[in-house]
């Protein structure tokens, strides 16, 4: 992009560009989202930044009105695919502690990571991590009733004093100046998760409704919710679709706010709010060359974890969507964790010792469920799902389905899926490989042709 392109997007306040760049105004010392409702600044007073942290590093403070911390994120696969981009994604997910640990996870030296990160993003790994933590804390301060102490620890700080110092340094404003009222803390955390339009809620609603596992999940005409377990956190959420405001209003109940950032990021993934859907659909449209009509705003409906997606995939092998739904519902009823009036998807250790006698299915299928559960229980931090191929009874379709919905990998074509095969037969001839790197979206577009 260039400044002329950004200028047009800013002047039109086009929500499709929200979070893709930021607008700093020299006369006020403030940086904003391109959709900020404040009067449009004169172009001579404007500086454009691709990332919010660059604007902050230049001395600008975040706008309290449009709140840059609430802009939609950028998916990991956008832009140049580099190790630096992967590092940024892990920091954004709250999934890294320091530069050395991050470098080890990426398989490179910390010295090399520091160099390429600064080269691509104009800031050090440590500076960006602190900025990210402060942005998350700012969102919690302005949107929730959580005590400042809880917010500091939820954002990853070890002390309130360190949090206050970093916040002032990174955002040029003190935390105390952002909280306008002292409302009493409540157990329900309410946040907004913006997205770039269009967002096809009807299609997502229809897809989830056919696969809803009650009482673990629930759905209404304008909302979706479910229980979750993640990194020691237990709770549930309700996500309410707000079409006119281009966001979800999300209510979260969680037993440990130190894991809140990971939970929020997983909700973002499940709802696919960070997708820049317009260039994705433009690419798909060109690649299929009129083979069928695309559904506008189609998102990837995620599943809470790779393990859950894998179990659902095993139970869905060679059966209809309805039959698979029945099997998963029965599994949750028989083996789901139940406490405090809620039901949770069974954990790997729960199923690793299960005999699955309540299922009327071949023993080989039961063994596959048990083998996958034992592997995931023994390897809780494994993220390379191709390793599952070494598990007896687990094949490429199961692995790809888990990548597609459990990890929200954007480039998975379920070529062996019966629904995909049927949709391809009904469509005009085209080469699906040309849809890379967005073949996951192609998969859902093809499924949509059958609904």
């Amino acid at each position: 992009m260039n400044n002329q392109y950004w200028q047009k997007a800013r002047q039109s306040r086009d929500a499709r560009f929200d979070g893709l760049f930021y607008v700093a105004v020299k006369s006020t010392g403030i940086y904003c989202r391109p959709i900020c409702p404040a009067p449009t600044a004169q172009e001579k007073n404007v500086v454009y930044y691709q990332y919010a942290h660059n604007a902050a590093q230049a001395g600008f403070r975040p706008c309290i009105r449009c709140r840059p911390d609430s802009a939609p994120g950028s998916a990991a696969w956008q832009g140049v695919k580099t190790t630096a981009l992967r590092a940024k994604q892990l920091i954004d997910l709250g999934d890294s502690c320091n530069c050395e640990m991050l470098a080890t996870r990426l398989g490179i030296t910390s010295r090399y990571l520091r160099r390429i990160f600064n080269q691509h993003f104009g800031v050090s790994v440590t500076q960006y991590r602190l900025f990210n933590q402060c942005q998350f804390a700012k969102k919690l301060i302005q949107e929730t009733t959580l005590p400042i102490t809880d917010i500091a620890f939820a954002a990853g700080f070890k002390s309130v004093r360190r949090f206050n110092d970093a916040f002032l340094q990174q955002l040029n404003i003190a935390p105390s100046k952002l909280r306008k009222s002292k409302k009493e803390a409540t157990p329900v955390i309410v946040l907004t998760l913006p997205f770039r339009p269009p967002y096809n809620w009807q299609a997502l609603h229809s897809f989830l409704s056919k696969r809803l596992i009650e009482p673990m999940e629930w759905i209404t005409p304008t909302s979706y919710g479910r229980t979750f377990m993640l990194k020691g956190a237990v709770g549930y959420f309700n996500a309410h679709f707000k079409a006119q405001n281009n966001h979800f209003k999300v209510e979260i109940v969680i037993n440990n706010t130190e894991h809140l950032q990971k939970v929020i990021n997983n909700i973002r993934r499940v709802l696919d709010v960070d997708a820049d859907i317009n260039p994705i659909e433009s690419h798909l449209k060109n690649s299929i060359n009129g083979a069928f009509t695309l559904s506008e705003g189609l998102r990837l409906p995620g599943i809470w974890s790779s393990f859950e997606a894998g179990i659902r995939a095993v139970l869905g092998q060679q059966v209809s969507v309805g039959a698979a739904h029945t099997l998963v519902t029965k599994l949750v009823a028989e083996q789901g964790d139940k406490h405090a009036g809620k039901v949770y998807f069974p954990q790997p250790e729960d199923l690793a010792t299960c005999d699955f006698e309540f299922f009327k299915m071949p023993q080989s299928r039961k063994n596959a469920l048990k083998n996958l559960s034992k592997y995931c229980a023994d390897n809780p931090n494994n993220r390379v799902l191709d390793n599952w191929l070494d598990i007896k009874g687990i094949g490429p379709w199961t692995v790809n389905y888990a990548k597609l919905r459990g990890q929200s990998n954007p480039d998975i074509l379920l070529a062996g899926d019966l629904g995909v095969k049927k949709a391809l037969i009904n469509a005009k001839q085209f080469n699906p490989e040309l849809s890379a790197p967005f073949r996951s979206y192609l998969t859902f577009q093809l499924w949509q042709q059958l609904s």
Side-chain angles (χ1 to χ4, degrees), residues 55 220 247 263 267 360 375:
T220 74
H247 72 234
V263 167
I267 296 172
K360 294 181 180 179
Y375 177 87

Side-chain angles (χ1 to χ4, degrees), residues 177-198:
K177 291 186 177 180
L178 293 175
R179 179 154 281 179
K180 296 181 180 180
S181 62
K182 296 183 178 179
K183 295 181 180 179
E184 186 177 348
T186 65
V188 180
I189 299 169
V190 182
L191 296 164
T192 59
L193 299 185
F195 53 79
R196 300 180 193 93

Side-chain angles (χ1 to χ4, degrees), residues 227-236 253-263 304 339 344 347:
T227 59
F228 62 78
M229 291 184 176
L230 180 67
K231 299 289 185 180
V234 177
Y236 61 90
V253 174
I254 186 172
N255 69 331
N256 187 344
T257 54
E258 289 189 25
H259 300 288
L260 182 59
Q261 186 172 17
K262 289 184 175 65
V263 167
W304 189 257
H339 52 83
Y344 301 81
Q347 298 301 292

Side-chain angles (χ1 to χ4, degrees), residues 345-397:
F345 195 84
Q347 298 301 292
E349 53 270 21
D350 299 328
L351 299 184
T353 57
C354 180
D355 56 19
F356 300 101
E357 288 302 315
F358 49 85
F359 280 146
K360 294 181 180 179
M361 62 173 57
Q363 187 61 43
S364 59
R365 186 72 56 87
K366 296 178 184 179
N367 291 342
L369 292 169
K370 190 170 184 176
N371 293 340
L372 176 59
S373 300
K374 187 176 187 309
Y375 177 87
C376 291
D378 293 341
N379 302 274
N381 297 318
N382 175 65
R383 294 176 177 84
V384 183
L385 300 192
D386 285 333
N387 292 339
W388 289 7
L389 294 172
D390 294 331
I391 303 172
K392 188 174 182 180
I394 303 299
W397 186 91

Side-chain angles (χ1 to χ4, degrees), residues 5 11 16 35 73 75 121 130 135 159 173 213 216 220 233 278 317 322 325 347 371-372 385 414 425 430 439:
Y5 193 76
Q11 292 174 344
R16 294 176 299 172
I35 62 167
F121 302 115
L130 284 173
Q135 281 281 79
S159 72
I173 189 170
I213 310 303
M216 184 188 80
T220 74
N278 293 283
Q317 292 173 2
H325 173 263
Q347 298 301 292
N371 293 340
L372 176 59
L385 300 192
L414 286 184
I425 291 173
F430 72 100
R439 286 174 293 181

